[in-house]
Amino acid sequence: MRDSETVAPLEARLATRLGDLRLERGWSLEELARRTGISRSTLSRLERGEISPTATLLNTLCAAYERTMSRLLAEVEAEPPQVVRAAAQPVWRDETSGFARRSVSPPHAGLRGEVVEGTLRPGADIAYDGPPVPGVEQHIWVLEGAVGITANGQAYELGAGDCLRFRLWGSSRFRCVGPDPVRYALMVVLP
């Protein structure tokens, strides 16, 4: 693992957790590579904290480990309090894709729902092969800007104030379709 001065604590804990999840299942790096289509070397570098995962890579790993991205990120955070102050809401950024993700209401033991704020910069386009948990319920409320969303093969374009809700069984895609960033609230409810 890299020196702790060059790796943010969240990223270091995420790298460790990804390795632990693989070992808990008794999978080798080769087996995880086969299940995810991610190269063994990339997986090894992720687990050692040498690289940070993109949103797409993290989603693929979450699907293999049958977790939502929020649940995985919550596992590397301390137990969240009942009140989550704005300053304490963890933000994860994928600079490559132009995606920022704020965990407004992180997953909590005994609760099935969570709230995430997503921001995509102009031109950002993120595609996910499938849901981390089949049948996960999502409600997406656009706060600012415009977004194109494809879920289960159906395409939608939403503007500020619009809300899209569905259960996700297939692939999904989020695209910032306007000249300005899009900011949306995503409510996730586990089946």
Side-chain angles (χ1 to χ4, degrees), residues 29-134:
L29 283 170
E30 290 80 12
E31 175 64 16
L32 182 57
R34 186 188 66 74
R35 289 174 179 264
T36 62
I38 300 169
S39 75
R40 181 191 180 286
S41 63
T42 297
L43 292 168
S44 178
R45 292 181 69 207
L46 283 170
E47 290 182 9
R48 289 193 315 264
E50 293 176 1
I51 59 173
S52 293
T54 63
T56 301
L57 257 160
L58 199 55
N59 188 69
T60 300
L61 290 169
C62 285
Y65 295 133
E66 299 176 324
R67 283 170 163 66
T68 63
M69 193 180 301
S70 295
R71 188 147 313 271
L72 174 64
L73 292 175
E75 289 174 5
V76 299
E77 287 293 316
E79 181 71 20
Q82 297 239 334
V83 174
V84 184
R85 304 287 180 204
Q89 297 167 3
V91 177
W92 179 76
R93 288 179 170 70
D94 177 0
E95 296 301 334
T96 303
S97 68
F99 175 55
R101 178 186 195 289
R102 175 182 298 276
S103 189
V104 176
S105 177
H108 189 281
L111 299 176
R112 292 183 13 232
E114 61 190 274
V115 179
V116 171
E117 175 190 50
T119 304
L120 293 170
R121 70 177 174 232
D125 188 343
I126 302 172
Y128 301 104
D129 290 334
V133 178

Side-chain angles (χ1 to χ4, degrees), residues 3-21:
D3 184 309
S4 61
E5 291 178 17
T6 60
V7 177
L10 176 66
E11 290 177 340
R13 289 191 306 271
L14 179 59
T16 299
R17 184 64 183 139
L18 289 171
D20 290 346
L21 285 167

